[in-house]
Amino acid sequence: MADNVIKPEDLVQIDYNPPSDDWMTSKTEIKKGCFNWAAVPKSTEYLGQPYVRKWQPTHDDWQLPENWKEIILKGLKERLGRFRSLRIFMDICVRCGACADKCHFYIGSGDPKNMPVLRAELLRSIYRNDFTLAGKILGRIAGARPLTIDIIKEWFYYFYQCTECRRCSVFCPYGIDTAEITIIGRELLNLLGLDIDWISTPAANCFRTGNHLGIQPHGFKDSIDFAVDDLEELTGIRVDAPINKKGAEVLFVVPSADYFGDPHYFGLLGYMALFHEIGLDYTFSAFASEGGNFGLFHSHDMMKRLNSKIYAEAKRLGVKHIIGAECGHMWRVLHQYMDTMNGPADFLDVPVSPITGTRFDNAASTKMIHICEFTADLIKHNKIKLDPSRNNQWRVTYHDSCNTARAMGLLDEPRYIIKNCVDNFFEMPENTIREQTFCCGSGSGIGTDENFEMRMRGGMPRANAVQYVHDKHGVNLLTCICAIDKATLPPLMEYWVPGVEVGAVHELVGNALIMKGEKRKTDLRGEPFVDAPDKDGKEGTDDV
């Protein structure tokens, strides 16, 4: 750990006493380690964003356009008319505080403005001031305050300390979705050219080459070919991994991290081994080479632009339906937005497994199947052979990725797969999983090095639950089905729970899968299989 990084024993010294000054007038301090660098002009220009310029949150002058206030209020008025949910969320909150201590950023920082109720008030106070009669007449008494440059800076700081995980919405008696408020807050900031680089650059790359990493088609093909070679070396079997194959039954869409980084890559090997074993007629696409969508963290319009390539490629290739891989924000968009943004998908068939005949209705309107639904169904119908002892090197727990769990309701299928692939599985405490799952603390585009302290603060509740099963059951592998989780949980574990690795659910599938004609002595990481320890896996949960 670098000397300039706050140590865990210091970070946990959190002061939950509210500050003495008034939140409505207090000036936001941009603290080192708790913010993200501004977008680079090259990326914002490529995306066609307004007011392209060089600036940083640490500067006193953010170089706002002269009519910045008019732009914000006009933008807010437009969105109040466009999104009925936004106006409802602005009006119905009674400040009961049920959400206050549910946000991992508040738990990890003690900053009242990270309470979802107060983070929403940062925008709601402007709404009251300029769009409600009570606010215009009563002002502060009605919770209204006039828009200032300091408030714009406050928005930037705190709307990028929200991962849009929606845990707060689970506990809200009115069902207010604070993630939607965060999206609108970021959209308004984007109107002034105030964006962060770890959103705008991946979005620009995706718009340019089809994936967040900017990998061009020949590079994508090289990566898939390399995985084919790797899998042959590990299993003795040469699989076929077609790219841009017209007339295939299934288009398979993965996050770009699956073919570029660890531990995602081991899950990619698992997919490929599985598809070979069942004889699935599928294809990758070099154009739709990214399922993830950083537009979700930017604006509704950007989300739509980046997502459109999936349907366009499905139509071009003439597939029957689409299977999507392990990725969180990919599935929030595919499950809840895609049909209205880029649909209807009337050129695709109803999603039915070509192996078992099972019809999938979870994302039926978008004509898509989640890989975990697909694999769980294969296991249920005994279409694949699995040897759980091949995962005996792992004592496993499972992290419910926010977008697939809360947004999609994909709760049981991943667990069903894991329990059929391992002998030692342990749930974290029940108030930290499933619908109530804690976030990785680094989603929605804020998983950057300059934001490291706030990431560790936001991820502390999840790490605390992992620490519990690590200490009690010797858990050494934290599995998940989200690309961002697989990227951000390893440093979180290294910081808070050393000794716990991070892996994909389909890495476990690939390890346990018995392939016809295989010659295997290692798992997908190239580590030798180990003898079976005592089986003491626990399917229940521990509550703390």
Side-chain angles (χ1 to χ4, degrees):
M1 189 184 305
D3 293 337
N4 60 345
V5 174
I6 184 171
K7 293 179 171 54
E9 58 268 26
D10 296 325
L11 192 148
V12 295
Q13 305 303 317
I14 302 168
D15 183 6
Y16 292 103
N17 292 311
S20 57
D21 53 344
D22 186 346
W23 75 267
M24 296 188 76
T25 57
S26 61
K27 190 173 181 179
T28 297
E29 176 188 355
I30 308 293
K31 296 179 181 178
K32 182 180 178 181
C34 300
F35 69 92
N36 295 268
W37 294 125
V40 297
K42 180 180 179 181
S43 296
T44 52
E45 184 175 20
Y46 189 87
L47 291 169
Q49 296 301 291
Y51 307 109
V52 177
R53 63 193 185 278
K54 287 185 177 181
W55 71 282
Q56 288 298 343
T58 52
H59 296 168
D60 291 332
D61 182 6
W62 286 15
Q63 305 173 49
L64 301 182
E66 289 186 6
N67 62 333
W68 65 268
K69 187 178 296 187
E70 177 187 348
I71 292 170
I72 290 293
L73 295 178
K74 180 181 177 182
L76 181 53
K77 180 179 180 180
E78 177 188 338
R79 284 157 181 77
L80 287 167
R82 182 180 173 190
F83 301 110
R84 181 172 177 268
S85 59
L86 176 63
R87 185 175 289 275
I88 292 173
F89 293 160
M90 290 292 98
D91 285 334
I92 67 173
C93 178
V94 295
R95 303 189 187 98
C96 69
C99 65
D101 61 346
K102 307 306 185 296
C103 176
H104 44 279
F105 282 112
Y106 173 68
I107 295 172
S109 70
D111 187 339
K113 291 183 182 179
N114 272 325
M115 294 179 179
V117 58
L118 189 45
R119 189 187 293 113
E121 285 292 312
L122 305 182
L123 178 60
R124 190 177 285 117
S125 59
I126 305 305
Y127 163 74
R128 289 198 181 104
N129 188 76
D130 290 272
F131 297 94
T132 70
L133 181 61
K136 291 177 180 179
I137 295 174
L138 300 175
R140 284 171 58 91
I141 298 175
R145 56 177 182 164
L147 184 60
T148 66
I149 290 179
D150 285 340
I151 288 176
I152 294 297
K153 294 183 177 182
E154 180 183 61
W155 283 4
F156 181 87
Y157 192 64
Y158 288 102
F159 286 139
Y160 287 104
Q161 288 182 21
C162 170
T163 52
E164 303 176 12
C165 83
R166 304 171 72 239
R167 189 173 195 263
C168 51
S169 66
V170 173
F171 298 92
C172 177
Y174 292 96
I176 296 173
D177 190 343
T178 307
E180 295 291 334
I181 297 174
T182 293
I183 291 174
I184 296 300
R186 292 185 180 185
E187 282 195 17
L188 296 175
L189 291 169
N190 291 330
L191 297 177
L192 302 180
L194 302 176
D195 191 8
I196 67 172
D197 190 54
W198 195 228
I199 291 178
S200 64
T201 292
N205 287 339
C206 198
F207 197 57
R208 178 170 54 87
T209 70
N211 59 75
H212 294 150
L213 300 174
I215 298 171
Q216 297 189 27
H218 61 280
F220 172 71
K221 183 180 185 303
D222 287 346
S223 296
I224 297 300
D225 288 346
F226 182 84
V228 170
D229 292 340
D230 242 7
L231 196 57
E232 182 178 21
E233 184 176 338
L234 291 165
T235 67
I237 295 176
R238 184 86 180 169
V239 306
D240 185 28
I243 300 173
N244 299 338
K245 175 186 173 183
K246 288 192 173 183
E249 189 159 8
V250 172
L251 170 62
F252 184 49
V253 182
V254 300
S256 54
D258 277 3
Y259 52 85
F260 200 76
D262 295 345
H264 321 65
Y265 179 69
F266 308 121
L268 174 68
L269 297 180
Y271 306 143
M272 293 166 61
L274 175 67
F275 292 167
H276 171 84
E277 187 61 22
I278 62 175
L280 183 68
D281 179 19
Y282 79 103
T283 183
F284 290 102
S285 164
F287 175 60
S289 55
E290 177 70 74
N293 193 323
F294 271 57
L296 176 64
F297 315 141
H298 183 279
S299 64
H300 289 84
D301 291 338
M302 192 65 66
M303 189 194 322
K304 179 179 180 178
R305 287 169 65 183
L306 299 185
N307 192 69
S308 63
K309 65 183 181 295
I310 298 177
Y311 274 167
E313 194 67 341
K315 185 177 290 187
R316 184 183 76 86
L317 295 175
V319 301
K320 292 182 179 179
H321 54 260
I322 307 167
I323 295 179
E326 296 182 11
C327 181
H329 56 298
M330 165 183 174
W331 275 99
R332 174 94 192 274
V333 178
L334 300 184
H335 189 251
Q336 297 193 335
Y337 296 100
M338 188 174 186
D339 193 29
T340 52
M341 289 193 310
N342 302 118
D346 48 11
F347 60 94
L348 294 170
D349 293 343
V350 173
V352 174
S353 170
I355 310 301
T356 67
T358 297
R359 171 175 171 153
F360 297 94
D361 292 322
N362 199 354
S365 68
T366 59
K367 308 293 177 66
M368 296 193 66
I369 306 173
H370 190 283
I371 185 65
C372 283
E373 297 176 298
F374 184 76
T375 303
D377 180 63
L378 292 174
I379 296 172
K380 180 180 179 181
H381 288 89
N382 297 313
K383 296 298 183 180
I384 55 177
K385 294 181 180 180
L386 300 169
D387 179 1
S389 71
R390 290 179 170 183
N391 282 306
N392 281 334
Q393 68 274 38
W394 300 121
R395 298 173 70 79
V396 182
T397 192
Y398 176 69
H399 162 68
D400 288 278
S401 302
C402 301
N403 284 311
T404 50
R406 272 190 288 271
M408 192 183 178
L410 200 67
L411 305 171
D412 296 317
E413 292 86 345
R415 289 173 167 81
Y416 181 77
I417 295 170
I418 294 171
K419 291 172 185 178
N420 279 276
C421 290
V422 307
D423 286 326
N424 294 286
F425 174 71
F426 308 91
E427 289 276 17
M428 287 180 278
E430 65 178 344
N431 56 329
T432 71
I433 60 172
R434 300 179 75 88
E435 292 91 342
Q436 297 186 42
T437 185
F438 277 113
C439 179
C440 68
S442 302
S444 78
I446 63 177
T448 59
D449 289 342
E450 68 268 19
N451 192 43
F452 187 79
E453 178 182 330
M454 189 51 65
R455 288 171 54 194
M456 295 304 103
R457 291 185 180 279
M460 183 180 69
R462 167 47 72 225
N464 186 53
V466 176
Q467 182 76 62
Y468 180 79
V469 290
H470 174 64
D471 292 345
K472 185 171 183 178
H473 303 294
V475 162
N476 61 359
L477 183 69
L478 174 62
T479 55
C480 56
I481 55 172
C482 173
I484 286 184
D485 284 337
K486 293 168 196 168
T488 61
L489 286 172
L492 186 74
M493 293 299 100
E494 182 182 356
Y495 186 84
W496 287 113
V497 200
V500 175
E501 300 290 329
V502 176
V505 167
H506 277 78
E507 175 186 350
L508 300 178
V509 174
N511 288 343
L513 184 66
I514 300 174
M515 304 176 70
K516 299 181 186 68
E518 66 175 19
K519 298 177 182 178
R520 299 188 65 180
K521 295 182 180 179
T522 71
D523 64 15
L524 296 181
R525 301 192 183 204
E527 297 295 328
F529 293 129
V530 301
D531 294 332
D534 294 334
K535 296 181 181 181
D536 60 348
K538 184 177 181 181
E539 295 184 4
T541 58
D542 298 295
D543 204 356
V544 291

